Amino acid sequence: MTIKDTPEEWQVTATALPFQGNKTSVRTDDVVMPDGTVVRRDYQVHPGSVAVLALDDEDRVLVLRQYRHPVRHKLWEIPAGLLDVPGENPLSAAVRELYEEAHVKAETWNVLTDVYTTPGGCDEAVRIFLARGLSAAEGERFEVAEEEADMELARVPLDELVRGVLAGELHNNCLVVGVLSVLAARAADGLDALRPAEAPWPARPFEA
């Protein structure tokens, strides 16, 4: 038995968009179940995101602390952002987010992992990149606003982040998945064996 997620689409007999927001929306679908019954499913429609686990030469991860209103917490996170344009190359988006949120560039990029954040209620797909060979970006810093205006930046040893994840002290999805994936990759074939930065991403197809 091969353990692998596979695409599948059940019949939808009706669909509606009761809420349309600035960046996301809510869709309601009437879905035919295997026994023939029809049930209603509401879910958030999301453009997709990228995140960057930026690892420096001292085995520290670049993290930021930002207020997240839905959970009423300031969370430690890794740089991340939306795919602003349909079909956008996720690597280009990741490079942009690392520059805008941390004013940092990287020499080496790999795909660390791809995840659906909350597939029971949202279609968001996130590609998490591993960025290495970090250095300061040139030019002016990106002008931040709103929640990002209060953002804190730090470089934290990877081992300390792993401890915080397992202790229940760190909760951001991309940070948790990212730091544990780095450990798993090192224990397997090593970081250089990770997928290339422009590996196909069926959840959000793009032009290389």
Side-chain angles (χ1 to χ4, degrees), residues 40-136:
R40 182 155 291 176
R41 292 289 179 260
D42 304 315
Y43 58 98
Q44 182 185 15
V45 179
H46 194 285
S49 306
V50 294
V52 184
L53 192 139
L55 188 66
D56 71 14
D57 293 338
E58 298 178 40
D59 214 37
R60 299 177 302 176
V61 177
L62 195 157
V63 292
L64 51 93
R65 188 169 180 247
Q66 187 171 343
Y67 177 66
R68 294 300 187 183
H69 186 70
V71 295
R72 302 327 195 251
H73 269 70
K74 273 193 170 182
L75 300 180
W76 285 103
E77 308 179 352
I78 57 177
L82 298 176
L83 292 170
D84 292 329
V85 180
E88 182 178 17
N89 187 311
L91 176 59
S92 299
V95 170
R96 180 186 69 237
E97 292 301 330
L98 186 60
Y99 166 76
E100 290 181 357
E101 295 195 345
H103 202 63
V104 166
K105 62 182 180 179
E107 292 181 5
T108 305
W109 291 83
N110 292 92
V111 174
L112 187 54
T113 191
D114 299 324
V115 296
Y116 290 116
T117 54
T118 49
C122 179
D123 71 352
E124 181 183 15
V126 180
R127 169 156 282 188
I128 304 176
F129 289 90
L130 175 66
R132 292 174 289 169
L134 308 183
S135 60

